[in-house]
Amino acid sequence: MAKHNAKLYKEQLLIALEKNLGIVTAACKEVGISRDSYYDYYNNDPEFRRKVDDINEIAIDFTESQ
C-alpha cells in the first residue's frame, strides 16, 4: 500500500469503524485493508489513535445503553 494513500485509508477507516461500532475486522474488510495496516496506523499515528479511541468509547456507551 502506498504511503500517499494512508490519509485516505485512515479517513475511510474512521467512517467504517463508526458504522461497525468499532469492530476492526469489519472496518478493515469494508475499506479493503489488512488488520496489520490498521494496527500500524493505530500504533504510529497519535491523532488516528485518539479518533479510534473516541469511536470505541461511543460504541461502548451505545452498547451499555441497549
Side-chain angles (χ1 to χ4, degrees):
M1 170 182 332
K3 280 196 182 270
H4 67 275
N5 289 331
K7 183 178 181 195
L8 178 62
Y9 282 119
K10 289 175 189 178
E11 291 170 3
Q12 292 175 339
L13 274 169
L14 292 170
I15 293 167
L17 284 166
E18 283 187 44
K19 289 194 318 193
N20 291 288
L21 296 175
I23 299 172
V24 173
T25 300
C28 289
K29 281 184 181 180
E30 186 172 317
V31 173
I33 70 164
S34 69
R35 288 173 46 93
D36 288 342
S37 293
Y38 166 85
Y39 284 109
D40 183 51
Y41 297 154
Y42 185 82
N43 291 323
N44 295 300
D45 182 338
E47 182 181 349
F48 179 74
R49 178 191 299 241
R50 181 186 56 76
K51 290 177 180 178
V52 169
D53 290 346
D54 288 348
I55 291 168
N56 287 334
E57 284 299 316
I58 292 167
I60 290 168
D61 290 346
F62 174 79
T63 303
E64 289 175 348
S65 72
Q66 294 303 307

